[in-house]
């Protein structure tokens, strides 16, 4: 029997994913592209993770290729908007998986959260890969934010 290869899907995050998500969240590139660049302590991560899996306004998926975890995508839902946070595993970057993950996730949100009308991807300046990924999936740039540190 031939095994079907390259089956992409999203599965809900499970308690067993806590270590994987911690490792991905503390990846150097992920921290550099995050709005909060400080490394995450495991105790903080445990508290955050416990809140996440019990929060009805958030949903997180692991993006899978066959049985291999490729990345994660999380939606924080506020009224008719869902804010996106995603990352790709370090060894899987540069292969176009971000676009596949965003497309699958868009379908999931549409199916399970029908009241969500707008998906929002906030991208830190200089994160060209994420900018391109959102643009390639049909997202439009709405505004830029400027700050002055005092």
């Amino acid at each position: 029997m031939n095994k079907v290869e390259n089956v992409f899907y999203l599965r809900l995050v499970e308690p067993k994913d806590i270590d994987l998500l911690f490792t991905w969240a503390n990846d150097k590139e992920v921290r550099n592209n995050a709005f909060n660049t400080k490394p995450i302590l495991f105790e903080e991560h445990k508290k955050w993770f416990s809140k996440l899996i019990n929060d009805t306004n958030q949903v997180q998926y692991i993006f899978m290729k066959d049985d291999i975890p490729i990345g994660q995508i999380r939606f924080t839902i506020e009224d008719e908007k869902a804010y996106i946070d995603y990352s790709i595993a370090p060894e899987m970057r540069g292969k176009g998986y971000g676009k596949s993950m965003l497309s699958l996730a868009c379908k999931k949100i549409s199916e399970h959260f029908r009241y969500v009308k707008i998906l929002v991807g906030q991208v830190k300046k200089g994160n060209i890969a994420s900018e391109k990924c959102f643009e390639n999936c049909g997202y439009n740039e709405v505004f830029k934010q400027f700050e002055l540190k005092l």
Side-chain angles (χ1 to χ4, degrees):
M1 180 188 302
N2 292 336
K3 180 182 175 189
V4 176
E5 294 185 13
N6 295 328
V7 175
F8 295 101
Y9 63 96
L10 294 170
R11 68 165 176 78
L12 280 172
V13 164
E14 301 171 355
K16 70 177 183 177
D17 297 316
I18 190 169
D19 292 330
L20 176 64
L21 291 173
F22 178 71
T23 300
W24 285 350
N26 275 308
D27 172 71
K28 183 179 178 184
E29 192 171 329
V30 170
R31 296 288 9 112
N32 285 339
N33 287 318
F35 292 109
N36 178 357
T37 59
K38 293 179 184 174
I40 300 167
L41 301 174
F42 191 70
E43 286 304 312
E44 294 170 357
H45 180 72
K46 283 192 333 189
K47 289 177 189 174
W48 169 86
F49 189 78
S50 176
K51 183 181 176 202
L52 167 79
I53 60 176
N54 293 301
D55 188 345
T56 58
N57 293 318
Q58 290 192 81
V59 61
Q60 185 161 19
Y61 301 99
I62 301 292
F63 178 58
M64 304 288 293
K65 176 183 173 190
D66 300 322
D67 60 350
I68 300 167
I70 301 292
Q72 64 79 31
I73 188 161
R74 182 177 66 251
F75 294 94
T76 302
I77 300 167
E78 296 178 8
D79 300 319
E80 292 186 342
K81 291 184 179 180
Y83 294 86
I84 300 168
D85 177 278
Y86 82 96
S87 62
I88 302 294
E91 65 277 10
M92 300 296 179
R93 293 182 188 138
K95 299 178 181 182
Y97 292 135
K99 185 175 178 182
S100 297
M101 181 169 58
L102 279 174
S103 296
L104 279 174
C106 179
K107 290 176 188 170
K108 280 269 192 199
I109 287 295
S110 294
E111 291 169 7
H112 298 286
F113 299 91
R114 293 177 191 238
Y115 57 90
V116 170
K117 304 297 180 204
I118 300 171
L119 299 179
V120 180
Q122 298 172 315
V123 180
K124 186 175 176 182
K125 184 177 181 175
N127 186 348
I128 305 302
S130 282
E131 285 181 18
K132 295 293 181 200
C133 188
F134 281 113
E135 288 171 358
N136 289 336
C137 287
Y139 289 69
N140 297 307
E141 184 177 318
V142 177
F143 70 89
K144 292 183 180 185
Q145 177 174 312
F146 297 88
E147 296 180 353
L148 175 65
K149 290 187 180 184
L150 301 176

